[in-house]
Amino acid sequence: MCSTLILLFLYNNLLDPLITTRLQSDLTRILRTSRDYGELQHVWKMWRHASGRRVRDHYKLFVRLANKAAKLNGFDNMGDMWLYPYESDTFREDMEELWGQLRPLYQQLHAYVRRKLREQYGEQYVSKRGPIPAHLLGNMWSQSWNEVYSIAIPYQGKSHVDVTPQMVQQNYTPRKMFELSDEFFGSLNLTKMPPEFWTESIIEKPKERDIICHASAWDFCNGKDFRVKQCTVVTMKDLITVHHEMGHIEYYLQYKHQPEVFRTGSNPGFHEAVGDVLALSVATPKHLAKVGLLDEVHDDDEADINFLMNMALDKITFLPFGYLMDNWRWDVFSGKTPEKDWNCAWWNLRYNIQGIKPPVQRSEFDFDPGAKYHIPANVPYIRYFVSYVVQFQFHKALCMKAGQYDPQDPSKPLHKCDIYQSTEAGNALGDLLKLGSSVKWPEAMAALTGGRRMDASVIREYFKPLETWLMNDNQKHGEFVGWETDEVLCTSDGPREAATGEPSSATTLVPAGPLYLLLFLLMGLLLSHRS
Ligand code: X8Z
Ligand code: ZN
């Protein structure tokens, strides 16, 4: 938001731009492409050694300061303060209920992917009934699993829905990816990106200096300067992220006429959902063919399952991660999880909710949450879980407006809908965005979808054909759905080497006394404009 009503600060020393840049370019690629168990394990472990473990002491101080700020603002702790924009007394219970509705689908997918990984790596690495080793899922945090699509593909030989090779072959550039996205927004009668966006945004990793590469969108609050920062790589995943970031900018553009205090999303999850809603159309084979990224579109059940699998490896696999990140932080900020248990509490959640395990035993000398950008950057995360639920509700409503989805017509299922060029859909979305936070989110939700609640049944509906297929497939192979283990994943003490491996630099990074409070205030002012 543009006004800084709430005192917020950021302990920016926690972010080492150099490390983040290297993560982006090298380690992400290895996690994405390597199928070498040992190499993946090494990279997974060393990234945590270089990042998370180094910030554990800083994070202790940070939590104390964050809670102090939250108390000054009238909240019990920082976790409670984060829930303020959702305007609900039952928010945590509501999230738990949503996750409970989505878990059965996730568990089917988990069982299927575990079998595919077992076939790839062997039973000595991936057991039949255990959690999945976290480093085999194509992503540093196992938060979305699309990069193992080629291992998990249900039907070889059907249309390849990951169009990265076509993008490379057609000499796509970051600029072209942003232009494609801009054109989609324009086709909906939404606002195109202003000239300043194109001149001031950073859409490629600069050669001459290191920057924090994690993608973000910025509202400079002067009504004309809006920028994205993204070290775009020519991949389909980044094409989706381009739409995600432009969605933030579109929101800024639509609510720029609002008084400052309302220049933010209906709730933070809505802000995260806008670009993803468009991307749900962009990713359909029909749309990819329209923009020349697919030569032939197979229109049969097997091709459908391939497509839905690719989508599920992004959307469904993300849900437990999106849910657990702040479950961990809520209990850290409230003190329910004491400092001495931080890392093992993290692995409890990773095991119980995601069904994954670390490739090597972890201890309280490690600090694995700190290896994920949003923890040291202090970006709340439940917004993404909310987004992944509501984006399907928005998609459904817009698809109906576009005449692309009819619940009574089996030839128009939700997952095939493409709202491209539908001004009816675009105008309805624009009406929601224009509101900013001037009305309570259930009202904004009702204006677009007719319902006032977050509703997990729409994702279930979108993925229904895949869920049925997964249940049959898992049954056919006698797969155990769920996970169990006797292994100890995390211990309260660790090997001696772990304790002394990296010298703590906490004291050298923390400026003394009131100076750092001033610094935090300035950071807070700057960062409150970022999404
Ligand atoms: O951080 C982001 C966006 C910027 S708001 C790129 N996302 C989360 C992540 O990368 O962990 C989008 C999906 C989840
Ligand atoms: Zn975002």
mmCIF file of all heavy atoms in Angstrom, residues 244-245 248 272 384, ligand 2:
data_model
loop_
_atom_site.group_PDB
_atom_site.id
_atom_site.type_symbol
_atom_site.label_atom_id
_atom_site.label_comp_id
_atom_site.label_asym_id
_atom_site.label_seq_id
_atom_site.Cartn_x
_atom_site.Cartn_y
_atom_site.Cartn_z
ATOM 1 N N HIS A 244 2.360 -13.204 -13.633
ATOM 2 C CA HIS A 244 2.127 -12.975 -12.205
ATOM 3 C C HIS A 244 2.520 -11.540 -11.829
ATOM 4 O O HIS A 244 1.749 -10.809 -11.200
ATOM 5 C CB HIS A 244 2.936 -13.988 -11.391
ATOM 6 C CG HIS A 244 2.847 -13.784 -9.912
ATOM 7 N ND1 HIS A 244 1.940 -14.449 -9.124
ATOM 8 C CD2 HIS A 244 3.542 -12.958 -9.074
ATOM 9 C CE1 HIS A 244 2.072 -14.052 -7.871
ATOM 10 N NE2 HIS A 244 3.049 -13.149 -7.802
ATOM 11 N N GLU A 245 3.720 -11.151 -12.229
ATOM 12 C CA GLU A 245 4.212 -9.808 -11.869
ATOM 13 C C GLU A 245 3.377 -8.721 -12.546
ATOM 14 O O GLU A 245 3.056 -7.699 -11.946
ATOM 15 C CB GLU A 245 5.694 -9.661 -12.222
ATOM 16 C CG GLU A 245 6.617 -10.589 -11.441
ATOM 17 C CD GLU A 245 6.428 -10.501 -9.933
ATOM 18 O OE1 GLU A 245 6.040 -9.436 -9.428
ATOM 19 O OE2 GLU A 245 6.649 -11.517 -9.248
ATOM 20 N N HIS A 248 0.276 -7.842 -10.690
ATOM 21 C CA HIS A 248 0.439 -6.848 -9.624
ATOM 22 C C HIS A 248 0.375 -5.435 -10.203
ATOM 23 O O HIS A 248 -0.285 -4.546 -9.661
ATOM 24 C CB HIS A 248 1.796 -7.021 -8.927
ATOM 25 C CG HIS A 248 1.877 -8.215 -8.018
ATOM 26 N ND1 HIS A 248 0.993 -8.434 -6.991
ATOM 27 C CD2 HIS A 248 2.762 -9.241 -7.969
ATOM 28 C CE1 HIS A 248 1.329 -9.560 -6.344
ATOM 29 N NE2 HIS A 248 2.403 -10.071 -6.923
ATOM 30 N N GLU A 272 -2.039 -11.409 -5.204
ATOM 31 C CA GLU A 272 -1.192 -12.467 -5.774
ATOM 32 C C GLU A 272 -1.912 -13.243 -6.882
ATOM 33 O O GLU A 272 -1.270 -13.942 -7.657
ATOM 34 C CB GLU A 272 -0.757 -13.442 -4.674
ATOM 35 C CG GLU A 272 0.118 -12.828 -3.590
ATOM 36 C CD GLU A 272 1.374 -12.162 -4.136
ATOM 37 O OE1 GLU A 272 1.867 -12.570 -5.204
ATOM 38 O OE2 GLU A 272 1.845 -11.203 -3.491
ATOM 39 N N TYR A 384 -0.151 -16.523 -0.660
ATOM 40 C CA TYR A 384 -0.033 -17.364 -1.859
ATOM 41 C C TYR A 384 -0.977 -18.556 -1.775
ATOM 42 O O TYR A 384 -1.535 -18.987 -2.778
ATOM 43 C CB TYR A 384 1.412 -17.828 -2.059
ATOM 44 C CG TYR A 384 2.391 -16.674 -2.195
ATOM 45 C CD1 TYR A 384 3.292 -16.378 -1.179
ATOM 46 C CD2 TYR A 384 2.382 -15.856 -3.318
ATOM 47 C CE1 TYR A 384 4.186 -15.322 -1.289
ATOM 48 C CE2 TYR A 384 3.265 -14.793 -3.439
ATOM 49 C CZ TYR A 384 4.165 -14.527 -2.423
ATOM 50 O OH TYR A 384 5.027 -13.476 -2.535
HETATM 51 ZN ZN ZN B 2 3.361 -11.781 -6.300
#
